[in-house]
Amino acid sequence: AEFLFFFPKEAAARAACARLEGIGFAGKTEISPEGSVWNCRARKIMQVKLESMRELRQQLDSSARGEGGEYAGWEAGEVD
């Protein structure tokens, strides 16, 4: 699954990605195409289950707000 976050400053995006890497995610920081916000993309191989995703969403939302950012959501592809 891939999770997306928006931050107003590069340092905040990098700090959030580093925090996520500390709990098993692979993080990548990049400037948005418009150049107005910084993105943190975090990936993790996991089974997507409704209850665990609700709990994880709360954790990710809180983490993003702690750095002045916003948790924008997630997406996942099918695995064979």
Side-chain angles (χ1 to χ4, degrees):
E2 182 174 81
F3 303 85
L4 179 61
F5 305 83
F6 301 128
F7 297 90
K9 297 185 179 185
E10 179 181 9
R14 291 196 183 281
C17 273
R19 185 178 302 126
L20 291 166
E21 289 170 350
I23 58 171
F25 287 84
K28 179 180 178 184
T29 304
E30 60 193 7
I31 188 76
S32 67
E34 305 83 30
S36 57
V37 296
W38 284 86
N39 300 333
C40 169
R41 294 184 179 272
R43 289 185 168 201
K44 187 173 188 177
I45 296 173
M46 58 192 296
Q47 286 187 331
V48 177
K49 295 182 179 180
L50 182 60
E51 190 58 37
S52 62
M53 291 306 290
R54 285 180 181 156
E55 293 172 17
L56 181 59
R57 184 189 189 289
Q58 290 176 347
Q59 181 182 7
L60 297 176
D61 191 47
S62 177
S63 181
R65 284 184 307 196
E67 294 293 338
E70 174 187 350
Y71 169 59
W74 64 280
E75 62 184 22
E78 289 186 38
V79 177
D80 296 329

